[in-house]
Amino acid sequence: MNRRQFLILLAGAGAGLASVYAFKPSRKGAPYSPYFKSLNEELKKNGTHRPAMLVDLDILDRNIDTLMKGFGKDQQYRVVVKSLPSPDLLDYIMKRARTPRLMVFHQPFLSHVAEKFPRSDVLMGKPMPVKSAHIFYRSFSRRSGFDPSRQLQWLVDTEERLSQYHELARAQNLKMKINVEIDVGLHRGGLGAPRDLAPVLDRILADPAHLEFSGFMGYDPHVVKIPRIIISPAAAYARSQKRYGEFIDMARKHRGGIRIDGLCLNGAGSPTLRLHKAGSVARDLSAGSCLVKPTDFDITSLDDFIPASFIATPVLKKLDHTFIPGIEAAEGLTSWWDPNSEQTFFIYGGKWMARYESPEGLQNNGLFGQSTNQHMVNGSKKIPLNVDDHIFLRPEQSEFVFLQFGDILPLRSGRITGQWPILRQG
Protein backbone atom coordinates (compact mmCIF):
# COMPACT_ATOMS: atom_id res chain seq x y z
CA MET A 1 0.00 0.00 0.00
CA ASN A 2 1.31 3.46 -0.83
CA ARG A 3 0.53 6.78 0.82
CA ARG A 4 -2.08 7.73 -1.77
CA GLN A 5 -4.00 4.48 -1.27
CA PHE A 6 -3.87 4.91 2.51
CA LEU A 7 -5.28 8.44 2.31
CA ILE A 8 -8.03 7.22 0.00
CA LEU A 9 -8.86 4.55 2.57
CA LEU A 10 -9.12 7.05 5.43
CA ALA A 11 -11.17 9.48 3.39
CA GLY A 12 -13.40 6.71 2.16
CA ALA A 13 -14.12 5.45 5.68
CA GLY A 14 -16.23 8.52 6.30
CA ALA A 15 -17.82 8.59 2.86
CA GLY A 16 -18.95 4.98 2.86
CA LEU A 17 -17.12 1.72 2.25
CA ALA A 18 -19.15 0.88 -0.83
CA SER A 19 -17.74 3.74 -2.89
CA VAL A 20 -14.19 3.02 -1.69
CA TYR A 21 -14.31 -0.72 -2.31
CA ALA A 22 -13.79 -0.22 -6.04
CA PHE A 23 -10.23 0.89 -5.27
CA LYS A 24 -9.45 -2.16 -3.13
CA PRO A 25 -6.38 -4.06 -4.43
CA SER A 26 -6.85 -7.72 -5.30
CA ARG A 27 -4.79 -10.46 -3.65
CA LYS A 28 -1.75 -11.43 -5.71
CA GLY A 29 1.07 -13.87 -5.22
CA ALA A 30 2.38 -17.28 -6.16
CA PRO A 31 5.27 -19.59 -5.24
CA TYR A 32 8.54 -19.52 -7.17
CA SER A 33 8.43 -20.66 -10.78
CA PRO A 34 10.48 -23.87 -11.30
CA TYR A 35 13.40 -21.81 -12.68
CA PHE A 36 13.64 -19.55 -9.63
CA LYS A 37 12.89 -22.36 -7.17
CA SER A 38 15.99 -24.14 -8.47
CA LEU A 39 18.06 -20.93 -8.33
CA ASN A 40 16.97 -20.30 -4.76
CA GLU A 41 18.20 -23.75 -3.69
CA GLU A 42 21.49 -23.27 -5.56
CA LEU A 43 22.10 -19.91 -3.89
CA LYS A 44 21.30 -21.31 -0.44
CA LYS A 45 23.92 -24.02 -1.00
CA ASN A 46 26.62 -22.24 -3.00
CA GLY A 47 25.80 -18.52 -3.11
CA THR A 48 27.47 -15.55 -1.44
CA HIS A 49 24.57 -15.05 1.02
CA ARG A 50 24.45 -11.37 0.21
CA PRO A 51 22.88 -9.38 -2.65
CA ALA A 52 24.25 -10.71 -5.94
CA MET A 53 23.97 -10.09 -9.66
CA LEU A 54 23.36 -13.28 -11.63
CA VAL A 55 23.96 -13.79 -15.35
CA ASP A 56 22.54 -16.93 -16.95
CA LEU A 57 25.08 -18.02 -19.57
CA ASP A 58 22.65 -20.36 -21.33
CA ILE A 59 20.29 -17.45 -21.98
CA LEU A 60 23.22 -15.16 -22.79
CA ASP A 61 24.41 -17.62 -25.44
CA ARG A 62 20.99 -17.55 -27.07
CA ASN A 63 20.90 -13.75 -27.02
CA ILE A 64 24.38 -13.46 -28.57
CA ASP A 65 23.40 -15.86 -31.33
CA THR A 66 20.16 -13.95 -31.91
CA LEU A 67 22.08 -10.67 -32.17
CA MET A 68 24.64 -12.00 -34.63
CA LYS A 69 22.00 -13.45 -36.96
CA GLY A 70 20.72 -9.94 -37.62
CA PHE A 71 23.97 -8.60 -39.10
CA GLY A 72 24.56 -7.98 -42.78
CA LYS A 73 27.59 -9.40 -44.57
CA ASP A 74 29.55 -6.14 -44.37
CA GLN A 75 28.50 -5.22 -40.82
CA GLN A 76 30.56 -5.67 -37.67
CA TYR A 77 29.53 -5.90 -34.02
CA ARG A 78 30.95 -3.61 -31.33
CA VAL A 79 30.32 -4.57 -27.68
CA VAL A 80 29.19 -1.72 -25.39
CA VAL A 81 31.37 -1.98 -22.28
CA LYS A 82 29.28 0.19 -19.94
CA SER A 83 26.33 -2.18 -20.35
CA LEU A 84 28.40 -5.29 -19.58
CA PRO A 85 31.00 -3.97 -17.11
CA SER A 86 32.95 -7.10 -16.24
CA PRO A 87 36.20 -8.22 -17.94
CA ASP A 88 35.18 -11.89 -17.83
CA LEU A 89 31.71 -11.12 -19.15
CA LEU A 90 33.17 -9.02 -21.97
CA ASP A 91 35.71 -11.71 -22.79
CA TYR A 92 32.96 -14.33 -22.92
CA ILE A 93 30.83 -12.24 -25.28
CA MET A 94 33.73 -11.20 -27.51
CA LYS A 95 34.74 -14.82 -28.00
CA ARG A 96 31.25 -16.11 -28.77
CA ALA A 97 30.48 -13.15 -31.05
CA ARG A 98 33.97 -13.30 -32.57
CA THR A 99 34.64 -9.59 -32.31
CA PRO A 100 37.54 -7.55 -30.88
CA ARG A 101 35.51 -4.32 -31.05
CA LEU A 102 34.55 -2.44 -27.89
CA MET A 103 32.84 0.84 -27.14
CA VAL A 104 34.01 2.54 -23.92
CA PHE A 105 32.41 5.43 -22.00
CA HIS A 106 34.60 5.82 -18.88
CA GLN A 107 38.31 6.63 -18.56
CA PRO A 108 39.07 4.04 -15.83
CA PHE A 109 37.29 1.43 -17.96
CA LEU A 110 39.44 2.46 -20.92
CA SER A 111 42.62 1.97 -18.90
CA HIS A 112 41.40 -1.46 -17.73
CA VAL A 113 40.35 -2.51 -21.24
CA ALA A 114 43.72 -1.50 -22.73
CA GLU A 115 45.42 -3.70 -20.13
CA LYS A 116 43.01 -6.64 -20.26
CA PHE A 117 42.31 -6.71 -24.02
CA PRO A 118 45.53 -5.73 -25.79
CA ARG A 119 44.19 -6.81 -29.20
CA SER A 120 40.90 -4.94 -28.96
CA ASP A 121 39.64 -2.16 -31.24
CA VAL A 122 38.23 0.61 -29.04
CA LEU A 123 35.85 3.43 -29.95
CA MET A 124 35.00 5.97 -27.27
CA GLY A 125 31.24 6.25 -26.91
CA LYS A 126 31.17 9.86 -25.75
CA PRO A 127 33.47 12.88 -26.03
CA MET A 128 35.81 12.86 -23.03
CA PRO A 129 37.36 15.92 -21.37
CA VAL A 130 40.87 16.37 -22.69
CA LYS A 131 42.17 15.97 -19.13
CA SER A 132 40.67 12.45 -19.10
CA ALA A 133 42.60 11.65 -22.26
CA HIS A 134 45.74 13.04 -20.63
CA ILE A 135 45.19 10.82 -17.56
CA PHE A 136 44.82 7.78 -19.81
CA TYR A 137 48.09 8.40 -21.65
CA ARG A 138 49.92 9.24 -18.41
CA SER A 139 48.92 5.94 -16.80
CA PHE A 140 49.05 3.79 -19.94
CA SER A 141 51.74 1.12 -20.18
CA ARG A 142 52.88 -0.04 -23.61
CA ARG A 143 53.96 -3.29 -22.02
CA SER A 144 50.34 -4.45 -22.32
CA GLY A 145 50.72 -4.60 -26.12
CA PHE A 146 47.83 -2.19 -26.75
CA ASP A 147 48.74 0.54 -29.25
CA PRO A 148 46.43 3.58 -28.90
CA SER A 149 47.66 5.09 -32.16
CA ARG A 150 46.16 2.11 -34.04
CA GLN A 151 43.53 0.67 -31.70
CA LEU A 152 41.84 3.65 -30.04
CA GLN A 153 39.42 6.16 -31.58
CA TRP A 154 38.66 9.30 -29.60
CA LEU A 155 35.23 10.84 -30.17
CA VAL A 156 35.05 14.53 -31.07
CA ASP A 157 31.83 16.54 -31.10
CA THR A 158 33.05 20.11 -31.68
CA GLU A 159 35.91 22.04 -33.25
CA GLU A 160 36.87 23.22 -29.76
CA ARG A 161 37.31 19.68 -28.45
CA LEU A 162 39.29 18.72 -31.54
CA SER A 163 41.56 21.69 -30.90
CA GLN A 164 42.13 20.51 -27.31
CA TYR A 165 42.96 16.99 -28.46
CA HIS A 166 45.26 18.36 -31.16
CA GLU A 167 47.18 20.39 -28.58
CA LEU A 168 47.54 17.29 -26.38
CA ALA A 169 48.75 15.20 -29.32
CA ARG A 170 51.40 17.74 -30.26
CA ALA A 171 52.52 18.32 -26.67
CA GLN A 172 52.88 14.58 -25.99
CA ASN A 173 53.95 13.62 -29.54
CA LEU A 174 50.94 11.32 -29.89
CA LYS A 175 49.04 10.00 -32.89
CA MET A 176 45.30 10.20 -32.12
CA LYS A 177 42.58 8.64 -34.24
CA ILE A 178 39.55 10.92 -34.37
CA ASN A 179 35.98 9.72 -34.84
CA VAL A 180 33.45 12.50 -35.35
CA GLU A 181 30.12 12.46 -33.53
CA ILE A 182 27.24 13.54 -35.78
CA ASP A 183 23.68 14.44 -34.86
CA VAL A 184 21.30 12.21 -36.82
CA GLY A 185 18.21 13.34 -34.90
CA LEU A 186 18.85 12.67 -31.20
CA HIS A 187 19.98 16.30 -30.65
CA ARG A 188 22.36 15.40 -27.82
CA GLY A 189 25.35 17.07 -29.41
CA GLY A 190 27.75 16.30 -32.20
CA LEU A 191 28.04 18.13 -35.52
CA GLY A 192 24.57 19.38 -36.40
CA ALA A 193 24.91 19.74 -40.18
CA PRO A 194 27.20 18.35 -42.89
CA ARG A 195 28.57 21.82 -43.57
CA ASP A 196 30.04 21.81 -40.05
CA LEU A 197 32.32 18.96 -41.07
CA ALA A 198 34.69 20.89 -43.35
CA PRO A 199 36.72 22.78 -40.69
CA VAL A 200 36.98 19.63 -38.57
CA LEU A 201 38.35 17.61 -41.47
CA ASP A 202 40.66 20.47 -42.50
CA ARG A 203 42.31 20.45 -39.08
CA ILE A 204 42.66 16.67 -38.95
CA LEU A 205 44.08 16.37 -42.46
CA ALA A 206 46.49 19.25 -41.93
CA ASP A 207 48.52 17.32 -39.33
CA PRO A 208 48.74 13.62 -40.27
CA ALA A 209 51.62 13.12 -37.85
CA HIS A 210 49.32 13.69 -34.89
CA LEU A 211 45.72 13.25 -36.10
CA GLU A 212 43.90 10.71 -38.25
CA PHE A 213 40.26 10.79 -39.32
CA SER A 214 38.76 7.38 -38.48
CA GLY A 215 35.02 7.77 -39.16
CA PHE A 216 31.65 8.82 -37.76
CA MET A 217 29.37 7.88 -34.89
CA GLY A 218 25.65 8.58 -35.29
CA TYR A 219 23.59 7.32 -32.31
CA ASP A 220 19.86 7.00 -33.00
CA PRO A 221 17.80 5.65 -30.02
CA HIS A 222 15.21 8.38 -30.60
CA VAL A 223 14.06 6.47 -33.68
CA VAL A 224 12.03 3.99 -31.62
CA LYS A 225 11.16 6.39 -28.77
CA ILE A 226 9.37 9.20 -30.62
CA PRO A 227 5.59 8.74 -30.18
CA ARG A 228 4.15 7.06 -33.26
CA ILE A 229 1.53 9.80 -33.52
CA ILE A 230 4.42 12.12 -34.49
CA ILE A 231 6.43 9.79 -36.74
CA SER A 232 6.74 6.05 -37.26
CA PRO A 233 10.00 4.26 -36.35
CA ALA A 234 10.53 3.39 -40.01
CA ALA A 235 10.18 7.01 -41.10
CA ALA A 236 12.37 8.28 -38.25
CA TYR A 237 15.01 5.68 -39.12
CA ALA A 238 14.94 6.66 -42.80
CA ARG A 239 15.38 10.31 -41.80
CA SER A 240 18.37 9.51 -39.57
CA GLN A 241 19.94 7.37 -42.30
CA LYS A 242 19.54 10.20 -44.79
CA ARG A 243 21.31 12.62 -42.48
CA TYR A 244 24.12 10.13 -41.80
CA GLY A 245 24.52 9.63 -45.55
CA GLU A 246 24.84 13.38 -46.07
CA PHE A 247 27.84 13.48 -43.75
CA ILE A 248 29.43 10.56 -45.61
CA ASP A 249 28.86 12.34 -48.94
CA MET A 250 30.43 15.51 -47.56
CA ALA A 251 33.52 13.54 -46.50
CA ARG A 252 33.75 11.93 -49.95
CA LYS A 253 33.78 15.36 -51.60
CA HIS A 254 36.13 17.05 -49.15
CA ARG A 255 39.39 18.14 -50.78
CA GLY A 256 39.12 15.78 -53.66
CA GLY A 257 37.68 12.97 -51.59
CA ILE A 258 38.25 10.95 -48.44
CA ARG A 259 38.18 7.18 -48.86
CA ILE A 260 35.18 5.82 -46.99
CA ASP A 261 36.33 2.20 -47.23
CA GLY A 262 38.03 1.30 -44.00
CA LEU A 263 36.41 4.06 -41.92
CA CYS A 264 34.50 3.18 -38.78
CA LEU A 265 30.89 4.17 -39.56
CA ASN A 266 29.31 3.49 -36.18
CA GLY A 267 25.63 3.48 -35.34
CA ALA A 268 22.74 1.65 -33.70
CA GLY A 269 22.49 0.64 -30.05
CA SER A 270 20.25 -2.02 -28.53
CA PRO A 271 16.92 -0.24 -29.21
CA THR A 272 17.55 0.28 -32.94
CA LEU A 273 19.87 -2.60 -33.72
CA ARG A 274 17.18 -4.53 -35.59
CA LEU A 275 16.56 -1.60 -37.94
CA HIS A 276 20.17 -1.55 -39.11
CA LYS A 277 19.90 -4.50 -41.45
CA ALA A 278 21.78 -4.87 -44.72
CA GLY A 279 21.61 -1.52 -46.48
CA SER A 280 22.30 0.64 -43.41
CA VAL A 281 24.90 3.32 -43.99
CA ALA A 282 26.42 2.27 -40.64
CA ARG A 283 28.73 -0.72 -40.85
CA ASP A 284 29.93 -0.77 -37.24
CA LEU A 285 26.95 -1.55 -34.98
CA SER A 286 27.02 -1.21 -31.19
CA ALA A 287 24.87 -3.00 -28.61
CA GLY A 288 25.22 -4.33 -25.11
CA SER A 289 22.12 -4.16 -22.93
CA CYS A 290 20.02 -6.41 -25.16
CA LEU A 291 22.32 -9.33 -24.32
CA VAL A 292 21.27 -9.28 -20.64
CA LYS A 293 17.97 -7.44 -21.26
CA PRO A 294 17.12 -5.32 -18.22
CA THR A 295 13.52 -4.08 -17.97
CA ASP A 296 14.19 -0.76 -19.73
CA PHE A 297 14.74 -2.85 -22.85
CA ASP A 298 11.40 -4.63 -22.79
CA ILE A 299 10.53 -3.04 -26.11
CA THR A 300 9.02 -4.38 -29.32
CA SER A 301 12.24 -4.22 -31.31
CA LEU A 302 13.89 -6.58 -28.79
CA ASP A 303 11.09 -9.12 -28.38
CA ASP A 304 13.35 -11.96 -29.52
CA PHE A 305 15.83 -11.34 -26.67
CA ILE A 306 15.33 -12.97 -23.25
CA PRO A 307 16.18 -11.57 -19.78
CA ALA A 308 19.52 -13.05 -18.72
CA SER A 309 20.36 -11.01 -15.61
CA PHE A 310 18.76 -11.05 -12.16
CA ILE A 311 19.42 -9.64 -8.72
CA ALA A 312 19.10 -12.18 -5.89
CA THR A 313 18.98 -11.09 -2.26
CA PRO A 314 18.33 -13.08 0.94
CA VAL A 315 15.29 -12.60 3.17
CA LEU A 316 16.60 -11.57 6.59
CA LYS A 317 13.33 -11.30 8.50
CA LYS A 318 9.74 -12.46 8.01
CA LEU A 319 6.72 -11.02 9.84
CA ASP A 320 3.12 -12.21 9.58
CA HIS A 321 1.89 -8.62 9.70
CA THR A 322 2.86 -5.15 8.52
CA PHE A 323 3.35 -2.63 11.31
CA ILE A 324 3.94 0.99 10.28
CA PRO A 325 5.54 3.12 13.03
CA GLY A 326 2.95 5.40 14.62
CA ILE A 327 -0.09 3.65 13.13
CA GLU A 328 0.39 0.11 14.42
CA ALA A 329 -3.27 -0.04 15.45
CA ALA A 330 -4.29 0.26 11.79
CA GLU A 331 -2.55 -3.00 10.81
CA GLY A 332 -5.78 -5.00 10.64
CA LEU A 333 -7.42 -2.35 8.51
CA THR A 334 -4.48 -1.96 6.14
CA SER A 335 -4.10 -5.73 5.57
CA TRP A 336 -7.86 -6.00 5.01
CA TRP A 337 -7.71 -3.17 2.52
CA ASP A 338 -4.62 -4.50 0.75
CA PRO A 339 -4.15 -8.26 1.20
CA ASN A 340 -0.77 -7.85 -0.46
CA SER A 341 0.49 -6.35 2.81
CA GLU A 342 -0.40 -9.42 4.89
CA GLN A 343 3.28 -10.39 5.18
CA THR A 344 6.47 -8.37 5.58
CA PHE A 345 9.91 -9.42 4.44
CA PHE A 346 13.02 -7.41 5.25
CA ILE A 347 15.72 -8.13 2.69
CA TYR A 348 19.50 -7.76 2.60
CA GLY A 349 20.05 -4.37 0.93
CA GLY A 350 17.51 -2.75 -1.35
CA LYS A 351 16.39 0.38 -3.17
CA TRP A 352 17.97 -0.78 -6.42
CA MET A 353 16.83 0.30 -9.85
CA ALA A 354 15.02 -3.01 -10.28
CA ARG A 355 11.59 -4.66 -10.36
CA TYR A 356 10.41 -7.73 -8.48
CA GLU A 357 10.48 -10.86 -10.60
CA SER A 358 9.96 -13.89 -8.34
CA PRO A 359 7.99 -14.86 -6.33
CA GLU A 360 5.09 -13.06 -8.02
CA GLY A 361 3.08 -10.43 -6.17
CA LEU A 362 5.79 -8.71 -4.11
CA GLN A 363 5.59 -4.94 -3.65
CA ASN A 364 7.19 -2.02 -1.83
CA ASN A 365 5.49 -0.32 1.09
CA GLY A 366 4.93 3.33 0.26
CA LEU A 367 4.17 4.28 3.87
CA PHE A 368 7.26 2.71 5.43
CA GLY A 369 9.60 3.97 2.70
CA GLN A 370 12.67 2.44 1.08
CA SER A 371 16.02 1.43 2.52
CA THR A 372 19.40 0.50 1.04
CA ASN A 373 20.16 -1.54 4.16
CA GLN A 374 17.05 -3.57 5.12
CA HIS A 375 14.34 -2.85 2.60
CA MET A 376 10.72 -3.71 3.47
CA VAL A 377 8.90 -5.90 0.95
CA ASN A 378 5.24 -6.86 1.31
CA GLY A 379 3.29 -9.78 -0.06
CA SER A 380 0.12 -11.75 0.50
CA LYS A 381 -0.09 -15.08 2.32
CA LYS A 382 -0.08 -16.77 -1.09
CA ILE A 383 3.71 -16.22 -1.16
CA PRO A 384 5.51 -19.02 0.76
CA LEU A 385 8.80 -17.22 1.47
CA ASN A 386 10.92 -17.86 4.54
CA VAL A 387 14.06 -16.45 6.13
CA ASP A 388 17.17 -17.31 4.02
CA ASP A 389 15.10 -17.74 0.86
CA HIS A 390 15.91 -15.31 -1.94
CA ILE A 391 13.87 -12.62 -3.61
CA PHE A 392 14.69 -12.15 -7.29
CA LEU A 393 14.53 -8.86 -9.18
CA ARG A 394 15.26 -7.74 -12.72
CA PRO A 395 17.51 -4.67 -13.04
CA GLU A 396 16.01 -1.74 -14.92
CA GLN A 397 19.38 -1.12 -16.59
CA SER A 398 22.71 -2.90 -16.56
CA GLU A 399 25.31 -0.15 -16.88
CA PHE A 400 24.86 1.29 -13.35
CA VAL A 401 23.13 -1.53 -11.48
CA PHE A 402 25.75 -4.19 -12.34
CA LEU A 403 28.39 -2.08 -10.58
CA GLN A 404 26.59 -2.24 -7.21
CA PHE A 405 27.15 -5.89 -6.35
CA GLY A 406 30.85 -6.64 -6.67
CA ASP A 407 31.49 -9.94 -8.43
CA ILE A 408 28.91 -11.23 -10.91
CA LEU A 409 27.78 -14.84 -10.44
CA PRO A 410 27.64 -16.63 -13.81
CA LEU A 411 25.21 -19.56 -14.08
CA ARG A 412 25.41 -22.60 -16.30
CA SER A 413 22.53 -25.08 -16.25
CA GLY A 414 21.27 -23.36 -13.11
CA ARG A 415 24.57 -23.75 -11.21
CA ILE A 416 27.04 -21.07 -10.11
CA THR A 417 30.26 -21.54 -12.08
CA GLY A 418 32.49 -18.89 -10.48
CA GLN A 419 32.73 -15.21 -9.64
CA TRP A 420 33.44 -12.55 -12.28
CA PRO A 421 34.86 -9.21 -11.03
CA ILE A 422 33.48 -5.95 -12.34
CA LEU A 423 35.60 -3.32 -14.11
CA ARG A 424 37.60 -0.90 -11.99
CA GLN A 425 35.72 2.36 -11.57
CA GLY A 426 38.61 4.54 -10.55
Side-chain angles (χ1 to χ4, degrees):
M1 178 189 297
N2 58 35
R3 190 174 298 275
R4 178 174 177 273
Q5 290 174 323
F6 183 71
L7 292 175
I8 290 174
L9 175 59
L10 292 180
L17 290 177
S19 60
V20 176
Y21 197 79
F23 294 96
K24 189 177 187 302
S26 60
R27 179 179 274 105
K28 303 173 184 176
Y32 290 121
S33 67
Y35 177 82
F36 288 105
K37 180 179 179 181
S38 177
L39 280 188
N40 181 51
E41 294 304 316
E42 170 66 8
L43 288 164
K44 289 167 78 171
K45 292 177 184 176
N46 301 309
T48 57
H49 310 288
R50 61 177 185 265
M53 179 64 68
L54 316 177
V55 173
D56 189 315
L57 300 182
D58 299 305
I59 300 175
L60 180 63
D61 286 349
R62 177 173 171 177
N63 286 342
I64 295 171
D65 295 345
T66 296
L67 181 147
M68 298 308 296
K69 288 177 184 175
F71 278 74
K73 183 174 63 174
D74 298 326
Q75 294 175 326
Q76 301 165 329
Y77 173 45
R78 188 173 295 275
V79 187
V80 176
V81 171
K82 69 179 175 61
S83 304
L84 306 156
S86 161
D88 294 283
L89 180 58
L90 289 169
D91 186 58
Y92 185 92
I93 293 168
M94 292 166 73
K95 285 177 178 175
R96 189 170 183 95
R98 298 181 180 179
T99 179
R101 298 170 185 82
L102 298 172
M103 178 176 279
V104 178
F105 289 77
H106 187 38
Q107 180 269 312
F109 287 5
L110 174 61
S111 295
H112 199 173
V113 161
E115 176 186 329
K116 176 69 178 178
F117 303 105
R119 298 182 180 179
S120 60
D121 177 292
V122 178
L123 170 64
M124 298 306 295
K126 64 186 176 188
M128 303 296 292
V130 69
K131 291 292 186 180
S132 290
H134 187 236
I135 290 170
F136 167 74
Y137 285 111
R138 188 175 63 201
S139 61
F140 170 71
S141 172
R142 292 193 177 275
R143 287 177 296 179
S144 69
F146 184 86
D147 182 355
S149 68
R150 295 186 302 102
Q151 297 169 251
L152 173 59
Q153 301 177 62
W154 294 98
L155 193 68
V156 161
D157 58 333
T158 63
E159 288 184 65
E160 180 181 4
R161 196 178 308 277
L162 176 61
S163 175
Q164 293 172 342
Y165 281 19
H166 193 190
E167 290 176 13
L168 173 64
R170 288 188 295 190
Q172 301 291 326
N173 194 27
L174 303 169
K175 177 72 174 286
M176 300 180 74
K177 297 179 75 171
I178 302 297
N179 193 292
V180 178
E181 182 180 17
I182 57 177
D183 182 4
V184 295
L186 180 59
H187 307 321
R188 195 175 66 181
L191 301 189
R195 63 176 177 273
D196 300 329
L197 182 61
V200 171
L201 290 179
D202 282 341
R203 182 158 196 150
I204 295 172
L205 297 176
D207 190 358
H210 296 108
L211 300 176
E212 177 186 346
F213 176 55
S214 64
F216 295 115
M217 187 193 79
Y219 186 43
D220 59 5
H222 64 285
V223 163
V224 295
K225 295 182 179 180
I226 300 175
R228 288 174 179 264
I229 195 172
I230 297 175
I231 189 172
S232 70
Y237 172 72
R239 183 182 294 177
S240 71
Q241 286 279 288
K242 181 176 182 296
R243 175 48 58 97
Y244 203 135
E246 291 169 352
F247 278 96
I248 293 173
D249 290 341
M250 182 63 72
R252 281 197 179 102
K253 298 172 184 176
H254 188 77
R255 289 192 175 184
I258 291 176
R259 286 192 59 186
I260 302 302
D261 292 344
L263 292 182
C264 174
L265 303 179
N266 179 264
S270 288
T272 60
L273 185 69
R274 282 287 174 261
L275 296 174
H276 286 267
K277 298 177 181 177
S280 169
V281 298
R283 298 192 298 251
D284 185 273
L285 305 183
S286 302
S289 294
C290 63
L291 297 182
V292 291
K293 200 176 184 183
T295 63
D296 283 355
F297 293 82
D298 287 343
I299 56 178
T300 302
S301 62
L302 297 175
D303 279 347
D304 49 351
F305 290 84
I306 303 172
S309 59
F310 305 97
I311 296 167
T313 190
V315 175
L316 301 178
K317 304 168 185 176
K318 175 183 177 179
L319 306 175
D320 293 325
H321 55 260
T322 298
F323 284 161
I324 304 299
I327 55 171
E328 292 88 349
E331 193 279 330
L333 180 60
T334 56
S335 60
W336 166 83
W337 170 255
D338 184 359
N340 302 301
S341 66
E342 290 171 335
Q343 298 188 94
T344 294
F345 308 98
F346 286 96
I347 61 174
Y348 194 150
K351 204 176 180 180
W352 300 294
M353 294 172 59
R355 302 179 190 176
Y356 298 111
E357 180 71 11
S358 189
E360 285 184 34
L362 296 171
Q363 63 183 33
N364 294 326
N365 189 297
L367 291 175
F368 191 86
Q370 300 190 63
S371 170
T372 57
N373 177 39
Q374 295 184 66
H375 185 74
M376 176 191 276
V377 183
N378 287 144
S380 77
K381 291 181 179 178
K382 294 175 69 176
I383 300 175
L385 270 177
N386 292 300
V387 171
D388 293 336
D389 283 333
H390 290 77
I391 285 175
F392 296 91
L393 306 91
R394 280 183 63 199
E396 293 179 7
Q397 60 167 236
S398 56
E399 59 192 68
F400 173 71
V401 182
F402 270 44
L403 299 174
Q404 297 180 279
F405 297 89
D407 293 348
I408 292 170
L409 302 185
L411 305 169
R412 176 69 74 190
S413 301
R415 298 290 181 263
I416 298 169
T417 63
Q419 295 187 24
W420 288 356
I422 59 171
L423 284 165
R424 294 194 298 266
Q425 301 176 65

